[in-house]
Amino acid sequence: MAVPIAVLDCDLLLYGRGHRTLDRFKLEDVTDEYLVSTYGFPRQFICYLVDLLGATLSRPTQRSRAISPETQILAALGFYTSGSFQTRMGDAIGISQASMSRCVANVTEALVERASQFIHFPKDEATVQTLKEDFYGLAGMPGVLGVVDCTHVAIKAPNAEDLSYVNRKGLHSLNCLMVCDSRGVLLSAETHWPGSLPDCTVLEQAALTSQFESGLHKGGWLLGDSSFLLRTWLMTPLHIPETPAEYRYNMAHSATHNVIERTLRTIRSRFRCLDGSKGTLQYSPEKSSHIILACCVLHNISLQHGLDVWSAPATAHVEQSEEEYEQMESVDSEACRVRQELLLTHFS
């Protein structure tokens, strides 16, 4: 006589009851070294994420064996930091591809929901002043509120007709606009822009520009490289410096702007799913954008926990060639006046 089975658990069918899945995995049973090598982060950090996201990840389910928040977080961290495709990572930690996909999706959305909590410009006057002083301490550049740059993350082709994600290298990507402080903490992250857009166009259309144009962040400026247009709130290097003051300005600008370049390298190295060496993100542009933003949130949380932002080596990644800098000279006379005043006041 056949026995009806009401619910089939895909993990149970794949591995059997004797297989040690992550639901039986106990953080206290393993060393920090193992957790860092397998999931990219130590026990204290993982426990913090369980406390932070646990309620969101414990949604009601009709599955016979709901996956615990701890398991979902470990699975997602394994994917973010390994760069392995979900099937391989799922096999390594003992859950099916379908369960792995659900874990990554659940944790990603939970982190994205909290993005504004961890990625934002400071608002109180004392913190803003400290921000400027920290930047000034790097290379003597005054008034800096943040350093800005764009970086490309490779994604799978959305469809044959959509060329908006094809960048200048002929690869499909998202162009992500990032701003960080002097320690590498992200102050802004817009991860959804199509790869065909040049950096200057991304900034022109970004929410970041609306914030600065509306006067939300007063009394200072961002530093951007020559792929951006000079603005009253965005100082770029001089294309052809001629005087000693202009050379000193460019040197201070370059040394300060280097912080965002190092930060982007660190994020790619820590979150190998973004670095392109293991292949492209196999998701739609929207889901890929959310994964990138989730990694940005984790980056900031890791800094809050004292994890070394500069320890990771550089990795290969998708990147566009430099913009034609000759075409990026600003015609904004007020912006030119502000930069000239900065030159005379601080670098002459």
Side-chain angles (χ1 to χ4, degrees), residues 90-322:
D91 289 346
I93 61 180
I95 61 176
S96 68
Q97 181 184 11
S99 295
M100 183 73 189
S101 182
R102 284 193 296 272
C103 291
V104 172
N106 291 344
V107 175
T108 295
E109 293 310 307
L111 288 168
V112 168
E113 288 173 4
R114 290 162 177 77
S116 61
Q117 177 182 345
F118 295 99
I119 303 175
H120 55 82
F121 279 88
K123 295 180 179 179
D124 65 282
E125 204 168 303
T127 306
V128 171
Q129 184 59 35
T130 299
L131 183 67
K132 294 179 184 179
E133 291 172 357
D134 289 344
F135 271 120
Y136 186 80
L138 295 179
M141 181 68 77
V144 180
L145 297 173
V147 284
V148 59
D149 206 353
C150 285
T151 186
H152 286 255
V153 176
I155 63 171
K156 73 173 183 178
N159 57 63
E161 292 75 29
D162 191 351
L163 300 179
S164 65
Y165 293 92
V166 179
N167 62 33
R168 292 177 60 178
K169 290 190 173 183
L171 304 174
H172 290 82
S173 67
L174 290 168
N175 195 0
C176 305
L177 181 71
M178 309 281 192
V179 180
C180 75
D181 70 9
S182 63
R183 297 191 303 117
V185 176
L186 293 173
L187 306 176
S188 178
E190 298 186 33
T191 60
H192 62 283
W193 297 102
S196 65
L197 295 179
D199 296 355
C200 60
T201 303
V202 168
L203 182 61
E204 182 180 344
Q205 299 178 8
L208 181 68
T209 294
S210 298
Q211 294 173 15
F212 275 87
E213 294 286 357
S214 67
L216 185 60
H217 309 295
K218 297 180 180 179
W221 40 67
L222 302 179
L223 297 188
D225 63 22
S226 297
S227 62
F228 300 112
L229 283 168
L230 178 70
R231 298 170 182 264
T232 55
W233 49 267
L234 176 64
M235 294 293 103
T236 60
L238 289 140
H239 178 51
I240 304 177
E242 297 177 347
T243 68
E246 290 175 347
Y247 276 103
R248 285 192 288 269
Y249 167 86
N250 270 14
M251 289 177 64
H253 188 291
S254 177
T256 308
H257 187 265
N258 182 252
V259 174
I260 185 66
E261 298 167 7
R262 296 168 67 193
T263 299
L264 294 176
R265 287 197 299 268
T266 298
I267 292 173
R268 290 181 178 281
S269 183
R270 175 165 282 160
F271 302 105
R272 299 297 298 275
C273 67
L274 307 181
D275 75 3
S277 65
K278 299 285 187 176
T280 62
L281 285 175
Q282 297 297 300
Y283 299 90
S284 69
E286 181 181 9
K287 289 184 178 179
S288 295
S289 170
H290 285 185
I291 288 173
I292 301 167
L293 185 55
C295 291
C296 291
V297 173
L298 289 172
H299 167 78
N300 275 10
I301 296 175
S302 71
L303 289 179
Q304 288 184 1
H305 282 73
L307 301 183
D308 187 1
V309 66
W310 309 125
S311 62
T315 56
H317 57 271
V318 179
E319 197 63 77
Q320 285 186 327
S321 59
E322 294 181 348

Side-chain angles (χ1 to χ4, degrees), residues 28-58:
E28 59 268 22
D29 293 341
V30 296
T31 64
D32 258 11
E33 289 74 14
Y34 171 80
L35 291 171
V36 171
S37 65
T38 307
Y39 306 108
F41 294 96
R43 184 188 336 272
Q44 182 181 11
F45 182 90
I46 295 170
C47 290
Y48 173 81
L49 290 182
V50 173
D51 291 339
L52 177 70
L53 307 178
T56 302
L57 298 176
S58 299

